[in-house]
Amino acid sequence: LGVVLLMGDGGYGSGVIISTKGYVLTNNHVVEDNENLEVILSYHYNLDRYEEYAHSIEIIKQDKVKDLALIKIIKPRTALRPIKISRNIPAIGSQVHAIGHPDLEVWTFTTGYISQIRDEYEWSYKDDFEHIANVYQTQTPIAEGNSGGPLLNNYGNLIGINTFGDSENDFQNFSVTVDEIIRFLIN
C-alpha cells in the first residue's frame, strides 16, 4: 500500500509514496509548521503502538501556492510500494477513489466521481493565504486527515492529491490535478 499517515505536533494528514527511494507527495499545509513530523508506513497495527512504524522525514520541496510538498522518508525499515503517477487527465464523470485518514480513521477508502475540472481555482484556509491551482471537483468524501492522500483512477494510478472539502457541502471536495503534480515534481 503506497499511502502513509503523517503525524506531527501540528496535526496529521496523508501522503503518497511515489518512489522506492522514499519520496512522498503530500499537501504543503500538512507539513508546514508541523514540528516533529513523522511518516507511519504500516496499517496492520493498533494505533497505540504506532511508534514502531514511525519514520523521520526530510522536507525536500514545497509549493505553498499550489499546496504541494515533497518529503523523503529517512532510512525506511521496510520495502516501499510506490503508486504510479498517471499522465492522463481523467474525464468529467470518471470514477475516482481516495485513501486517507479522516478524523484518524486510518487507511479509509472512499469512492466517487469527478464532477468538474477547475483551472486556476482559488481557495484559502484559516490563515487566509490565497492558494491557486488546477483542481478536480469530486464527490469523493474528503475530511480532515485525507489531505495529502491520493486520488486514484480505476487502475490504482495517482491522478490527484486530495486537498480540501467544503464542510457545508459533501459533494464539493477538491484535489490538485495530476498536471500540477507533474509540473511541481519536474521544476
Side-chain angles (χ1 to χ4, degrees):
L1 185 67
V3 180
V4 301
L5 172 60
L6 294 162
M7 293 185 74
D9 296 345
Y12 59 93
S14 304
V16 186
I17 298 171
I18 59 169
S19 159
T20 57
K21 295 181 180 180
Y23 290 99
V24 174
L25 190 61
T26 187
N27 285 130
N28 186 64
H29 77 263
V30 172
V31 302
E32 188 173 59
D33 301 324
N34 197 351
E35 299 295 319
N36 299 310
L37 189 65
E38 295 179 308
V39 163
I40 300 166
L41 294 176
S42 179
Y43 61 97
H44 297 292
Y45 63 89
N46 182 321
L47 260 184
D48 295 337
R49 295 181 27 236
Y50 80 91
E51 294 91 353
E52 298 172 25
Y53 302 90
H55 292 74
S56 298
I57 62 104
E58 172 186 4
I59 297 174
I60 303 296
K61 185 179 192 180
Q62 294 172 273
D63 185 331
K64 187 170 182 171
V65 174
K66 306 278 185 203
D67 198 12
L68 293 172
L70 183 66
I71 64 175
K72 187 170 193 284
I73 301 168
I74 298 171
K75 297 180 184 173
R77 296 184 297 272
T78 185
L80 301 176
R81 289 183 260 158
I83 292 177
K84 182 180 175 188
I85 300 172
S86 172
R87 292 192 170 268
N88 298 323
I89 300 286
I92 295 169
S94 296
Q95 186 174 34
V96 291
H97 314 279
I99 302 172
H101 315 290
D103 300 320
L104 274 182
E105 297 297 335
V106 294
W107 282 274
T108 298
F109 175 86
T110 58
T111 193
Y113 296 90
I114 291 188
S115 306
Q116 189 54 267
I117 299 171
R118 305 210 178 272
D119 292 337
E120 298 185 21
Y121 190 78
E122 297 179 28
W123 74 96
S124 63
Y125 301 110
K126 294 174 187 168
D127 63 2
D128 291 330
F129 180 85
E130 284 295 320
H131 301 275
I132 184 168
N134 297 342
V135 298
Y136 308 115
Q137 178 182 332
T138 75
Q139 52 180 212
T140 309
I142 297 173
E144 183 179 348
N146 279 106
S147 292
L151 188 70
L152 305 167
N153 62 20
N154 282 336
Y155 301 102
N157 297 328
L158 181 70
I159 57 168
I161 292 294
N162 298 320
T163 303
F164 68 100
D166 182 342
S167 59
E168 296 176 14
N169 188 337
D170 291 339
F171 297 107
Q172 289 190 14
N173 299 288
F174 298 88
S175 304
V176 175
T177 61
V178 71
D179 58 322
E180 295 281 27
I181 292 167
I182 291 169
R183 276 194 292 273
F184 170 71
L185 292 173
I186 62 173
N187 287 331

